[in-house]
Amino acid sequence: MIAVVGSCNVDFVVPVAVLPGPGETVLGRDHLRMPGGKGANQSVAAAKLGSPVAFVGCVGDDALAPTILSALDGAGVDTSWLRRVPDAPSGIALITVADGGENTIAVSPGANARLGPADIEAAAGLLSEAAVTLVQLEISLDAVAAAVRTARGRVVLNPAPARSLPAELLASVDVLVPNRSELGVLAGAPEPTTPDEAAALAAALDGPAAVVVTLGADGALVVEDRAATHVPVSQVDAIDATGAGDAFCGALADALARAEPLVTATEWAVRVAGISTTRWGAQSSPTRDELS
């Protein structure tokens, strides 16, 4: 079982030729409304690969909630621990996607900000039994810390959106999964521009037992015991990178729950994330049948 503790949103996506700069307005094509949120995205990605997944989160009491619930239920995610918050809006993300897949994202957390330690306590039985507990940072740090403390299986933390984290929290993480910029924030250093720079920063981090750095078109980097292994990516025709990191994390959790070695799990995650960029939407990761 994989337990995912995190956010769930509805994404409003506007395809554009180029991303707008500060103060600039650009005209886009027809907008898309899709389910999203890092926690929900990662839950759906792992469930589509065949893992049993349960999601711990909060949704609003509004017209957007059914979109979120339908996507989770449709993927087979257990939503028994998804709390509906009265008088709160569901989370939303406003996304612009340029030709080629690059994007910018603004998130309004809504009900996600109401997820707290009491919700984690209510799910303590789930987190104590899960082989992998997967957490991100679109929820309160109190909820993140409570989930990490309560989990008894392998703890995977995706530190996104980027913020500095307490040393005691990082020390309880088994696998940290940052991208380049998130790694720079955690290390208190400039964003690494090469895999070698990323490897050096990841190896110098105190706390997590292992670090897997996602490098976009350069694949990923696995750092264990200060030794780095580079996992390259296969070339794909990307159209939307939204949620690619979430597809990666969901696939990584899927493989780790099946007791795969971390490098093997990362190879699987790179493959799944790459395919997800060839489709629109943050929950566009492939099923296991599509990968066979």
Side-chain angles (χ1 to χ4, degrees), residues 22-211:
E24 181 183 9
T25 298
V26 298
L27 290 177
R29 299 184 288 279
D30 290 350
H31 78 275
L32 308 168
R33 191 175 84 171
M34 302 175 175
K38 286 189 172 296
N41 296 345
Q42 294 175 13
S43 297
V44 168
K48 287 170 74 173
L49 293 171
S51 282
V53 180
F55 178 64
V56 181
C58 288
V59 70
D61 184 21
D62 60 8
L64 295 179
T67 298
I68 295 169
L69 290 164
S70 177
L72 290 167
D73 291 339
V77 176
D78 185 347
T79 57
S80 301
W81 292 270
L82 179 59
R83 179 166 65 93
R84 193 153 187 167
V85 182
D87 302 319
S90 296
I92 63 170
L94 307 177
I95 304 171
T96 52
V97 180
D99 293 344
E102 187 179 5
N103 60 51
T104 61
I105 305 174
V107 175
S108 173
N112 295 307
R114 279 73 165 179
L115 182 68
D119 296 291
I120 306 306
E121 183 178 353
L126 168 69
L127 299 184
S128 67
E129 295 176 1
V132 175
T133 295
L134 176 57
V135 193
Q136 329 74 35
L137 301 181
E138 282 187 337
I139 55 176
S140 74
L141 200 54
D142 286 344
V144 171
V148 171
R149 284 195 308 269
T150 305
R152 294 293 174 265
R154 207 162 186 180
V155 175
V156 180
L157 174 62
N158 173 215
R163 67 171 93 168
S164 59
L165 295 173
E168 60 270 24
L169 174 60
L170 287 174
S172 299
V173 171
D174 296 299
V175 184
L176 185 72
V177 191
N179 63 19
R180 296 176 198 260
S181 62
E182 293 152 4
L183 177 60
V185 170
L186 290 170
E191 178 179 329
T193 58
T194 68
D196 285 346
E197 290 178 0
L201 283 184
L205 279 180
D206 289 329
V211 181

Side-chain angles (χ1 to χ4, degrees), residues 1-2 46 49-52 131-132 250-261 264-265 268-269 272 288:
M1 168 67 76
I2 297 170
L49 293 171
S51 282
V132 175
L252 188 75
D254 164 71
L256 293 177
R258 292 185 279 106
E260 296 285 357
T264 303
W268 175 243
V272 170
R288 183 173 292 277

